[in-house]
Amino acid sequence: MAAKQDSMAQQGFLDRYFKLTEHGTNVRTELIAGLTTFVTMAYIIVVNPITLTLADLPDEAKAGISIPDWGAVFMATILAAAISTLVMGLYANWPFALAPGMGLNALFSFTMLLGMKLPWQTALAAVAISGVIMLVVTLTGLRTVMIKAIPAHLRHGVGAGIGLFIMFIGFKNAGIVVSNPATFVGLGDVTAAPVLLAIIGLIITAVLMARRIPGAILIGIALTTLLGIPMGVTKLPEAIVSTPPSIAPTLLQLDFVGALKVSMIPAIFSLFFSDMFDTLGTFMGMAGKAGLLDEKGEMKGDKRALFADSIGTIVGALLGTSNTTTYVESAAGVEAGGRTGLTAVTVAILFLLAAFFSPIALMVPGQATAPALIIVGVLMASSLLSVDLHDFVVAFPVVVTVIMMPLTFSIATGLALGFVSYVVVNLAAGRVKDIHWMMYVLSAFFVYYFISH
Protein backbone atom coordinates (compact mmCIF):
# COMPACT_ATOMS: atom_id res chain seq x y z
CA MET A 1 0.00 0.00 0.00
CA ALA A 2 2.82 2.36 0.95
CA ALA A 3 4.67 1.57 -2.29
CA LYS A 4 1.54 2.36 -4.30
CA GLN A 5 1.13 5.69 -2.51
CA ASP A 6 4.78 6.57 -3.19
CA SER A 7 4.28 5.75 -6.88
CA MET A 8 1.19 7.96 -7.06
CA ALA A 9 3.05 10.78 -5.31
CA GLN A 10 5.90 10.52 -7.81
CA GLN A 11 3.49 10.61 -10.74
CA GLY A 12 1.81 13.65 -9.18
CA PHE A 13 5.16 15.42 -8.93
CA LEU A 14 6.02 14.60 -12.54
CA ASP A 15 2.60 15.79 -13.67
CA ARG A 16 3.06 19.11 -11.90
CA TYR A 17 6.67 19.71 -12.92
CA PHE A 18 6.31 18.80 -16.58
CA LYS A 19 2.63 19.87 -16.85
CA LEU A 20 1.67 16.51 -18.32
CA THR A 21 -2.10 16.94 -18.03
CA GLU A 22 -1.92 20.40 -19.53
CA HIS A 23 -0.11 18.96 -22.54
CA GLY A 24 -2.52 16.04 -22.89
CA THR A 25 -0.04 13.31 -22.03
CA ASN A 26 0.96 11.00 -19.17
CA VAL A 27 4.05 9.40 -17.65
CA ARG A 28 3.76 6.14 -19.61
CA THR A 29 3.43 7.92 -22.95
CA GLU A 30 6.38 10.19 -22.21
CA LEU A 31 8.59 7.25 -21.21
CA ILE A 32 7.72 5.35 -24.39
CA ALA A 33 8.35 8.47 -26.46
CA GLY A 34 11.75 8.94 -24.81
CA LEU A 35 12.70 5.34 -25.47
CA THR A 36 11.57 5.69 -29.08
CA THR A 37 13.68 8.81 -29.63
CA PHE A 38 16.70 7.23 -27.98
CA VAL A 39 16.57 4.09 -30.09
CA THR A 40 16.34 6.07 -33.32
CA MET A 41 19.37 8.23 -32.47
CA ALA A 42 21.51 5.74 -30.51
CA TYR A 43 23.61 5.18 -33.64
CA ILE A 44 25.46 8.43 -32.87
CA ILE A 45 27.14 6.70 -29.91
CA VAL A 46 29.23 4.69 -32.36
CA VAL A 47 29.15 6.85 -35.50
CA ASN A 48 30.46 10.00 -33.83
CA PRO A 49 33.63 8.43 -32.39
CA ILE A 50 34.33 6.79 -35.75
CA THR A 51 33.94 10.14 -37.52
CA LEU A 52 35.96 12.29 -35.10
CA THR A 53 38.82 9.82 -34.80
CA LEU A 54 38.84 9.28 -38.58
CA ALA A 55 38.86 5.58 -37.76
CA ASP A 56 38.30 4.56 -41.39
CA LEU A 57 41.53 6.21 -42.56
CA PRO A 58 45.07 4.77 -42.30
CA ASP A 59 47.16 6.03 -39.39
CA GLU A 60 49.58 7.97 -41.58
CA ALA A 61 46.73 10.03 -43.09
CA LYS A 62 45.43 11.24 -39.72
CA ALA A 63 48.62 11.36 -37.65
CA GLY A 64 48.78 14.40 -35.38
CA ILE A 65 45.41 15.87 -36.30
CA SER A 66 42.57 13.48 -35.40
CA ILE A 67 41.45 12.64 -31.88
CA PRO A 68 43.39 9.46 -31.07
CA ASP A 69 41.22 7.95 -28.31
CA TRP A 70 37.98 6.29 -29.52
CA GLY A 71 36.81 5.51 -25.99
CA ALA A 72 37.14 9.13 -24.84
CA VAL A 73 35.05 10.38 -27.76
CA PHE A 74 32.53 7.62 -27.04
CA MET A 75 32.08 8.95 -23.51
CA ALA A 76 32.15 12.60 -24.66
CA THR A 77 29.34 11.80 -27.08
CA ILE A 78 27.22 10.16 -24.40
CA LEU A 79 27.82 12.85 -21.76
CA ALA A 80 27.27 15.74 -24.18
CA ALA A 81 23.99 14.19 -25.30
CA ALA A 82 22.84 13.43 -21.75
CA ILE A 83 23.71 16.82 -20.22
CA SER A 84 22.28 18.95 -23.03
CA THR A 85 19.13 16.83 -23.29
CA LEU A 86 18.61 17.11 -19.52
CA VAL A 87 18.79 20.90 -19.81
CA MET A 88 16.27 20.76 -22.65
CA GLY A 89 13.91 18.61 -20.59
CA LEU A 90 14.27 20.15 -17.13
CA TYR A 91 14.68 23.80 -18.12
CA ALA A 92 12.79 24.18 -21.41
CA ASN A 93 10.25 21.35 -20.86
CA TRP A 94 10.51 20.41 -24.54
CA PRO A 95 10.47 16.77 -25.75
CA PHE A 96 13.53 17.19 -27.97
CA ALA A 97 16.84 15.37 -27.59
CA LEU A 98 20.32 16.62 -28.40
CA ALA A 99 23.59 14.96 -29.37
CA PRO A 100 26.67 15.72 -31.48
CA GLY A 101 25.24 16.47 -34.91
CA MET A 102 25.73 14.47 -38.06
CA GLY A 103 27.09 16.75 -40.75
CA LEU A 104 28.60 18.99 -38.11
CA ASN A 105 30.95 16.19 -37.08
CA ALA A 106 31.84 15.72 -40.76
CA LEU A 107 32.60 19.46 -41.02
CA PHE A 108 34.82 19.08 -37.95
CA SER A 109 36.72 16.06 -39.25
CA PHE A 110 36.89 16.37 -43.02
CA THR A 111 37.07 20.17 -43.37
CA MET A 112 38.87 21.31 -40.23
CA LEU A 113 41.08 18.31 -39.48
CA LEU A 114 41.82 16.83 -42.91
CA GLY A 115 41.27 19.93 -45.05
CA MET A 116 42.77 22.66 -42.86
CA LYS A 117 45.18 20.30 -41.09
CA LEU A 118 44.17 21.67 -37.69
CA PRO A 119 45.13 19.77 -34.53
CA TRP A 120 42.01 18.34 -32.89
CA GLN A 121 42.56 20.50 -29.80
CA THR A 122 42.34 23.66 -31.93
CA ALA A 123 39.24 22.38 -33.72
CA LEU A 124 37.52 21.67 -30.39
CA ALA A 125 38.28 25.21 -29.23
CA ALA A 126 36.69 26.51 -32.44
CA VAL A 127 33.58 24.48 -31.64
CA ALA A 128 33.44 25.99 -28.14
CA ILE A 129 33.79 29.53 -29.54
CA SER A 130 30.98 28.89 -32.04
CA GLY A 131 28.85 27.75 -29.10
CA VAL A 132 29.59 30.92 -27.14
CA ILE A 133 28.57 33.03 -30.15
CA MET A 134 25.38 30.98 -30.36
CA LEU A 135 24.69 31.60 -26.67
CA VAL A 136 25.18 35.37 -27.04
CA VAL A 137 22.85 35.46 -30.06
CA THR A 138 20.29 33.49 -28.06
CA LEU A 139 20.48 35.60 -24.89
CA THR A 140 20.18 38.84 -26.86
CA GLY A 141 16.97 37.55 -28.44
CA LEU A 142 18.33 37.75 -31.99
CA ARG A 143 17.72 34.05 -32.53
CA THR A 144 14.07 34.43 -31.52
CA VAL A 145 13.67 37.35 -33.91
CA MET A 146 14.97 35.13 -36.70
CA ILE A 147 12.36 32.49 -35.94
CA LYS A 148 9.47 34.96 -35.76
CA ALA A 149 10.54 36.58 -39.02
CA ILE A 150 9.87 33.38 -40.95
CA PRO A 151 6.30 33.25 -42.37
CA ALA A 152 3.97 30.43 -41.35
CA HIS A 153 3.82 28.74 -44.78
CA LEU A 154 7.62 28.60 -44.96
CA ARG A 155 7.70 27.03 -41.50
CA HIS A 156 5.29 24.35 -42.71
CA GLY A 157 7.54 23.84 -45.71
CA VAL A 158 10.52 23.36 -43.42
CA GLY A 159 8.59 20.68 -41.52
CA ALA A 160 7.72 18.84 -44.73
CA GLY A 161 11.28 19.22 -46.01
CA ILE A 162 12.70 17.72 -42.85
CA GLY A 163 10.18 14.90 -43.26
CA LEU A 164 11.47 14.08 -46.74
CA PHE A 165 15.04 14.46 -45.50
CA ILE A 166 14.37 12.00 -42.69
CA MET A 167 12.74 9.60 -45.16
CA PHE A 168 15.77 9.83 -47.43
CA ILE A 169 18.09 9.08 -44.51
CA GLY A 170 15.88 6.11 -43.62
CA PHE A 171 15.93 4.71 -47.16
CA LYS A 172 19.69 5.27 -47.34
CA ASN A 173 20.38 3.63 -43.98
CA ALA A 174 18.21 0.70 -45.03
CA GLY A 175 20.15 0.21 -48.24
CA ILE A 176 16.93 0.59 -50.23
CA VAL A 177 18.40 3.71 -51.88
CA VAL A 178 22.07 3.66 -52.89
CA SER A 179 24.42 5.89 -54.85
CA ASN A 180 24.51 5.46 -58.61
CA PRO A 181 27.22 7.04 -60.82
CA ALA A 182 24.80 7.47 -63.72
CA THR A 183 21.69 8.71 -61.93
CA PHE A 184 23.14 9.84 -58.56
CA VAL A 185 20.77 7.52 -56.67
CA GLY A 186 19.22 4.15 -57.46
CA LEU A 187 17.52 1.12 -55.96
CA GLY A 188 19.67 -1.10 -53.76
CA ASP A 189 19.85 -4.88 -53.77
CA VAL A 190 16.46 -5.76 -52.29
CA THR A 191 17.44 -9.44 -52.08
CA ALA A 192 20.31 -8.75 -49.66
CA ALA A 193 19.49 -9.74 -46.09
CA PRO A 194 19.98 -6.29 -44.51
CA VAL A 195 17.84 -4.54 -47.14
CA LEU A 196 15.20 -7.26 -46.96
CA LEU A 197 15.07 -6.89 -43.18
CA ALA A 198 14.52 -3.13 -43.51
CA ILE A 199 11.69 -3.70 -46.00
CA ILE A 200 10.04 -6.22 -43.70
CA GLY A 201 10.45 -3.80 -40.79
CA LEU A 202 8.89 -1.01 -42.82
CA ILE A 203 5.88 -3.19 -43.63
CA ILE A 204 5.49 -4.23 -39.99
CA THR A 205 5.70 -0.65 -38.73
CA ALA A 206 3.32 0.63 -41.42
CA VAL A 207 0.76 -2.04 -40.51
CA LEU A 208 1.04 -1.16 -36.82
CA MET A 209 0.59 2.52 -37.64
CA ALA A 210 -2.40 1.79 -39.87
CA ARG A 211 -3.97 -0.22 -37.05
CA ARG A 212 -3.29 2.70 -34.67
CA ILE A 213 -1.37 0.48 -32.24
CA PRO A 214 0.09 2.57 -29.35
CA GLY A 215 3.89 2.68 -29.50
CA ALA A 216 3.82 1.36 -33.08
CA ILE A 217 7.21 2.81 -34.00
CA LEU A 218 8.98 1.37 -30.95
CA ILE A 219 7.29 -2.02 -31.40
CA GLY A 220 8.36 -2.00 -35.04
CA ILE A 221 11.98 -1.34 -34.07
CA ALA A 222 11.94 -4.15 -31.49
CA LEU A 223 10.33 -6.71 -33.81
CA THR A 224 12.68 -5.82 -36.67
CA THR A 225 15.69 -6.17 -34.38
CA LEU A 226 14.53 -9.63 -33.28
CA LEU A 227 13.85 -10.73 -36.85
CA GLY A 228 17.36 -9.65 -37.71
CA ILE A 229 18.85 -12.33 -35.45
CA PRO A 230 18.00 -15.38 -37.60
CA MET A 231 18.70 -13.32 -40.73
CA GLY A 232 22.24 -12.67 -39.56
CA VAL A 233 21.84 -8.88 -39.45
CA THR A 234 21.35 -8.30 -35.72
CA LYS A 235 24.50 -9.22 -33.85
CA LEU A 236 23.91 -10.53 -30.34
CA PRO A 237 26.17 -8.83 -27.79
CA GLU A 238 28.96 -10.80 -26.17
CA ALA A 239 28.30 -9.08 -22.85
CA ILE A 240 25.48 -7.14 -21.28
CA VAL A 241 27.42 -4.73 -19.06
CA SER A 242 30.72 -3.03 -19.83
CA THR A 243 32.88 -0.56 -17.91
CA PRO A 244 32.70 2.96 -19.38
CA PRO A 245 36.02 4.11 -20.86
CA SER A 246 37.89 7.14 -19.52
CA ILE A 247 37.08 10.61 -20.87
CA ALA A 248 40.37 12.07 -19.59
CA PRO A 249 42.17 12.08 -22.99
CA THR A 250 39.73 14.67 -24.42
CA LEU A 251 38.36 16.43 -21.33
CA LEU A 252 39.23 20.17 -21.39
CA GLN A 253 41.87 19.59 -24.07
CA LEU A 254 41.11 22.79 -26.01
CA ASP A 255 43.66 25.04 -27.73
CA PHE A 256 42.08 28.51 -27.59
CA VAL A 257 45.33 30.24 -28.59
CA GLY A 258 45.31 28.46 -31.94
CA ALA A 259 41.56 28.89 -32.41
CA LEU A 260 41.60 32.67 -31.89
CA LYS A 261 43.73 33.37 -34.97
CA VAL A 262 42.22 35.45 -37.78
CA SER A 263 42.54 32.51 -40.16
CA MET A 264 40.07 30.58 -37.99
CA ILE A 265 37.17 33.03 -38.46
CA PRO A 266 35.69 31.27 -41.54
CA ALA A 267 35.80 27.87 -39.82
CA ILE A 268 34.21 29.18 -36.62
CA PHE A 269 31.39 30.92 -38.46
CA SER A 270 30.81 27.87 -40.65
CA LEU A 271 30.26 25.87 -37.47
CA PHE A 272 28.07 28.59 -35.99
CA PHE A 273 25.78 29.11 -38.96
CA SER A 274 25.50 25.42 -39.85
CA ASP A 275 24.53 24.61 -36.27
CA MET A 276 22.16 27.57 -35.90
CA PHE A 277 20.16 26.98 -39.04
CA ASP A 278 20.06 23.23 -38.58
CA THR A 279 18.55 23.90 -35.16
CA LEU A 280 16.10 26.54 -36.42
CA GLY A 281 14.95 24.19 -39.15
CA THR A 282 14.49 21.32 -36.72
CA PHE A 283 12.62 23.48 -34.20
CA MET A 284 10.26 24.91 -36.78
CA GLY A 285 9.65 21.54 -38.34
CA MET A 286 8.75 19.74 -35.13
CA ALA A 287 7.21 22.41 -32.89
CA GLY A 288 3.79 22.07 -34.48
CA LYS A 289 3.76 18.29 -34.16
CA ALA A 290 4.80 18.57 -30.52
CA GLY A 291 2.01 21.03 -29.69
CA LEU A 292 4.52 23.78 -28.92
CA LEU A 293 2.88 26.51 -31.01
CA ASP A 294 0.57 29.11 -29.52
CA GLU A 295 -2.56 30.55 -31.13
CA LYS A 296 -0.37 32.92 -33.21
CA GLY A 297 1.68 30.04 -34.56
CA GLU A 298 4.74 31.02 -32.53
CA MET A 299 6.81 28.60 -30.48
CA LYS A 300 6.17 28.51 -26.72
CA GLY A 301 9.26 28.59 -24.52
CA ASP A 302 11.62 28.77 -27.50
CA LYS A 303 14.14 30.98 -25.64
CA ARG A 304 14.76 28.28 -23.06
CA ALA A 305 14.98 25.60 -25.73
CA LEU A 306 17.46 27.66 -27.74
CA PHE A 307 19.48 28.24 -24.56
CA ALA A 308 19.66 24.48 -23.98
CA ASP A 309 20.81 23.95 -27.56
CA SER A 310 23.54 26.59 -27.20
CA ILE A 311 24.80 25.17 -23.92
CA GLY A 312 25.00 21.74 -25.54
CA THR A 313 27.68 22.82 -28.01
CA ILE A 314 29.83 24.47 -25.33
CA VAL A 315 29.59 21.50 -22.96
CA GLY A 316 30.26 19.04 -25.78
CA ALA A 317 33.42 20.87 -26.85
CA LEU A 318 34.74 20.90 -23.27
CA LEU A 319 34.12 17.15 -23.08
CA GLY A 320 35.72 16.43 -26.45
CA THR A 321 33.18 16.35 -29.28
CA SER A 322 31.91 18.47 -32.16
CA ASN A 323 28.78 20.68 -32.11
CA THR A 324 25.88 19.29 -30.11
CA THR A 325 22.53 20.07 -31.68
CA THR A 326 18.83 19.21 -31.49
CA TYR A 327 18.15 15.98 -33.35
CA VAL A 328 15.52 15.59 -36.06
CA GLU A 329 15.12 12.02 -34.78
CA SER A 330 13.25 13.60 -31.86
CA ALA A 331 10.33 13.56 -34.28
CA ALA A 332 10.04 9.82 -33.69
CA GLY A 333 9.37 10.42 -30.00
CA VAL A 334 6.98 13.25 -30.77
CA GLU A 335 5.01 10.97 -33.07
CA ALA A 336 4.98 8.38 -30.26
CA GLY A 337 3.20 10.95 -28.08
CA GLY A 338 6.04 12.88 -26.42
CA ARG A 339 4.93 16.40 -25.52
CA THR A 340 7.01 17.50 -22.52
CA GLY A 341 10.49 17.56 -21.08
CA LEU A 342 9.90 14.17 -19.46
CA THR A 343 10.51 12.66 -22.89
CA ALA A 344 13.87 14.45 -23.05
CA VAL A 345 14.80 13.45 -19.50
CA THR A 346 14.07 9.82 -20.39
CA VAL A 347 16.39 10.09 -23.40
CA ALA A 348 19.14 11.62 -21.24
CA ILE A 349 18.92 8.82 -18.67
CA LEU A 350 19.07 6.20 -21.43
CA PHE A 351 22.19 7.83 -22.86
CA LEU A 352 23.85 7.60 -19.45
CA LEU A 353 22.81 3.97 -19.09
CA ALA A 354 24.21 3.30 -22.55
CA ALA A 355 27.68 3.98 -21.16
CA PHE A 356 27.27 0.85 -19.03
CA PHE A 357 25.01 -1.18 -21.31
CA SER A 358 26.44 -0.20 -24.65
CA PRO A 359 26.40 -3.79 -26.00
CA ILE A 360 22.60 -3.88 -25.60
CA ALA A 361 22.00 -0.34 -26.82
CA LEU A 362 24.13 -0.86 -29.90
CA MET A 363 22.75 -4.24 -30.97
CA VAL A 364 19.85 -2.51 -32.76
CA PRO A 365 20.90 -2.48 -36.44
CA GLY A 366 20.41 0.49 -38.71
CA GLN A 367 17.93 -1.59 -40.70
CA ALA A 368 15.65 -1.64 -37.63
CA THR A 369 15.66 2.14 -37.09
CA ALA A 370 15.44 3.00 -40.80
CA PRO A 371 11.70 2.11 -41.05
CA ALA A 372 10.99 4.40 -38.08
CA LEU A 373 12.65 7.32 -39.86
CA ILE A 374 10.69 6.63 -43.04
CA ILE A 375 7.37 6.50 -41.19
CA VAL A 376 8.16 9.68 -39.27
CA GLY A 377 9.05 11.38 -42.55
CA VAL A 378 5.66 10.48 -43.99
CA LEU A 379 3.90 11.91 -40.95
CA MET A 380 5.89 15.15 -41.04
CA ALA A 381 5.17 15.65 -44.74
CA SER A 382 1.53 16.19 -43.81
CA SER A 383 2.39 19.76 -42.81
CA LEU A 384 2.13 20.65 -46.50
CA LEU A 385 -1.64 20.45 -46.06
CA SER A 386 -1.41 23.83 -44.31
CA VAL A 387 0.21 25.49 -47.35
CA ASP A 388 -1.78 27.12 -50.14
CA LEU A 389 0.07 25.60 -53.09
CA HIS A 390 -2.34 27.30 -55.51
CA ASP A 391 -0.64 30.63 -54.74
CA PHE A 392 2.65 30.53 -56.68
CA VAL A 393 4.32 33.15 -54.48
CA VAL A 394 3.61 30.93 -51.48
CA ALA A 395 4.28 27.61 -53.21
CA PHE A 396 7.61 28.41 -54.87
CA PRO A 397 9.82 28.94 -51.78
CA VAL A 398 8.03 26.15 -49.93
CA VAL A 399 8.62 23.58 -52.67
CA VAL A 400 12.23 24.72 -53.08
CA THR A 401 12.77 24.23 -49.35
CA VAL A 402 11.06 20.84 -49.31
CA ILE A 403 12.94 19.35 -52.26
CA MET A 404 16.39 20.83 -51.62
CA MET A 405 16.75 19.49 -48.09
CA PRO A 406 16.96 15.85 -49.20
CA LEU A 407 18.67 16.62 -52.53
CA THR A 408 21.52 18.54 -50.86
CA PHE A 409 21.45 16.27 -47.79
CA SER A 410 21.36 19.36 -45.61
CA ILE A 411 18.58 21.02 -43.59
CA ALA A 412 20.58 24.25 -43.49
CA THR A 413 21.07 24.40 -47.27
CA GLY A 414 17.41 23.72 -47.99
CA LEU A 415 16.42 26.37 -45.47
CA ALA A 416 18.82 28.89 -47.01
CA LEU A 417 17.59 28.34 -50.56
CA GLY A 418 14.00 28.59 -49.35
CA PHE A 419 14.71 31.92 -47.63
CA VAL A 420 16.41 33.44 -50.67
CA SER A 421 13.69 32.28 -53.06
CA TYR A 422 11.02 33.63 -50.68
CA VAL A 423 12.50 37.14 -50.76
CA VAL A 424 13.05 37.07 -54.53
CA VAL A 425 9.57 35.87 -55.46
CA ASN A 426 7.81 38.23 -53.02
CA LEU A 427 9.77 41.22 -54.33
CA ALA A 428 8.86 40.19 -57.88
CA ALA A 429 5.18 39.99 -56.90
CA GLY A 430 5.24 43.38 -55.22
CA ARG A 431 4.54 41.93 -51.78
CA VAL A 432 7.22 43.98 -50.08
CA LYS A 433 5.17 44.46 -46.90
CA ASP A 434 5.06 40.69 -46.38
CA ILE A 435 8.85 40.48 -45.99
CA HIS A 436 10.26 40.92 -42.48
CA TRP A 437 13.50 42.90 -42.36
CA MET A 438 15.28 39.93 -40.84
CA MET A 439 14.50 37.87 -43.97
CA TYR A 440 16.47 40.42 -46.03
CA VAL A 441 19.42 40.11 -43.65
CA LEU A 442 19.37 36.33 -43.62
CA SER A 443 18.93 36.05 -47.38
CA ALA A 444 21.81 38.46 -47.99
CA PHE A 445 24.02 36.41 -45.73
CA PHE A 446 23.06 33.19 -47.51
CA VAL A 447 23.78 34.69 -50.93
CA TYR A 448 27.21 35.78 -49.70
CA TYR A 449 27.77 32.34 -48.16
CA PHE A 450 26.92 30.53 -51.41
CA ILE A 451 29.12 32.85 -53.49
CA SER A 452 32.11 32.61 -51.14
CA HIS A 453 31.89 28.81 -51.08
Side-chain angles (χ1 to χ4, degrees):
M1 184 67 180
K4 185 176 181 180
Q5 290 177 342
D6 289 342
S7 176
M8 292 178 63
Q10 290 172 1
Q11 290 189 22
F13 168 76
L14 294 175
D15 193 347
R16 292 190 300 273
Y17 187 89
F18 294 105
K19 302 179 181 178
L20 302 180
T21 302
E22 179 180 325
H23 287 86
T25 184
N26 55 57
V27 173
R28 179 179 178 276
T29 299
E30 294 291 301
L31 295 179
I32 291 176
L35 180 57
T36 302
T37 294
F38 172 75
V39 171
T40 59
M41 63 186 289
Y43 65 85
I44 194 63
I45 297 174
V46 169
V47 175
N48 199 54
I50 290 174
T51 303
L52 297 193
T53 60
L54 297 172
D56 294 331
L57 295 181
D59 291 339
E60 58 271 17
K62 59 184 180 180
I65 56 173
S66 69
I67 302 175
D69 196 298
W70 190 96
V73 182
F74 171 82
M75 284 306 300
T77 302
I78 286 176
L79 291 175
I83 293 171
S84 56
T85 303
L86 271 177
V87 176
M88 179 67 78
L90 296 175
Y91 180 64
N93 198 26
W94 276 30
F96 298 170
L98 298 87
M102 291 297 295
L104 288 161
N105 56 7
L107 174 61
F108 179 96
S109 294
F110 299 109
T111 299
M112 300 179 71
L113 299 187
L114 285 179
M116 299 175 66
K117 302 299 181 184
L118 295 175
W120 61 271
Q121 297 92 335
T122 304
L124 282 179
V127 171
I129 293 171
S130 74
V132 171
I133 296 173
M134 187 90 70
L135 182 60
V136 171
V137 170
T138 298
L139 293 177
T140 56
L142 189 58
R143 229 171 154 187
T144 301
V145 173
M146 291 179 183
I147 294 176
K148 292 182 178 180
I150 303 168
H153 64 270
L154 202 51
R155 295 185 199 180
H156 291 304
V158 170
I162 291 177
L164 293 189
F165 181 57
I166 290 175
M167 286 183 69
F168 188 63
I169 292 174
F171 282 119
K172 175 181 175 293
N173 291 351
I176 298 174
V177 172
V178 296
S179 61
N180 185 303
T183 60
F184 293 106
V185 294
L187 184 66
D189 182 5
V190 296
T191 63
V195 180
L196 187 59
L197 175 64
I199 294 173
I200 293 172
L202 180 58
I203 294 172
I204 291 173
T205 309
V207 169
L208 293 171
M209 289 293 297
R211 300 291 298 177
R212 300 182 182 276
I213 304 298
I217 294 176
L218 181 59
I219 295 172
I221 292 172
L223 291 177
T224 306
T225 299
L226 293 175
L227 286 174
I229 297 175
M231 295 178 68
V233 180
T234 301
K235 305 299 181 184
L236 292 175
E238 296 180 358
I240 296 178
V241 180
S242 61
T243 303
S246 172
I247 196 175
T250 58
L251 181 63
L252 302 179
Q253 301 296 313
L254 293 81
D255 174 22
F256 283 103
V257 174
L260 289 172
K261 295 179 180 178
V262 175
S263 60
M264 289 296 296
I265 291 177
I268 291 172
F269 275 90
S270 291
L271 289 169
F272 165 69
F273 282 111
S274 295
D275 192 355
M276 182 174 71
F277 286 105
D278 265 1
T279 299
L280 289 181
T282 302
F283 275 20
M284 288 187 297
M286 294 192 297
K289 289 287 185 180
L292 296 171
L293 299 180
D294 59 22
E295 60 279 359
K296 297 181 180 179
E298 297 179 355
M299 287 184 282
K300 298 179 288 187
D302 56 313
K303 290 183 179 179
R304 292 191 172 202
L306 290 169
F307 174 81
D309 186 88
S310 302
I311 289 296
T313 289
I314 299 172
V315 171
L318 296 176
L319 292 169
T321 184
S322 52
N323 295 61
T324 300
T325 188
T326 304
Y327 258 56
V328 293
E329 284 85 350
S330 300
V334 171
E335 290 297 341
R339 294 294 180 270
T340 74
L342 183 55
T343 293
V345 171
T346 303
V347 176
I349 293 173
L350 290 172
F351 264 111
L352 292 174
L353 290 175
F356 299 92
F357 298 92
S358 56
I360 297 296
L362 299 176
M363 72 174 287
V364 179
Q367 291 76 17
T369 59
L373 297 179
I374 295 170
I375 295 295
V376 168
V378 172
L379 296 171
M380 292 189 69
S382 65
S383 61
L384 279 178
L385 293 172
S386 302
V387 179
D388 181 11
L389 295 178
H390 296 291
D391 184 344
F392 181 80
V393 177
V394 170
F396 182 72
V398 169
V399 174
V400 167
T401 302
V402 169
I403 196 64
M404 292 308 291
M405 282 189 185
L407 289 185
T408 61
F409 212 76
S410 169
I411 293 174
T413 300
L415 194 68
L417 292 172
F419 281 18
V420 174
S421 61
Y422 167 81
V423 171
V424 170
V425 76
N426 274 274
L427 285 175
R431 299 185 184 180
V432 179
K433 293 182 180 179
D434 293 342
I435 309 174
H436 192 283
W437 66 267
M438 180 57 74
M439 293 297 290
Y440 287 113
V441 174
L442 294 176
S443 296
F445 164 76
F446 283 132
V447 170
Y448 170 77
Y449 178 81
F450 289 136
I451 293 175
S452 62
H453 284 70

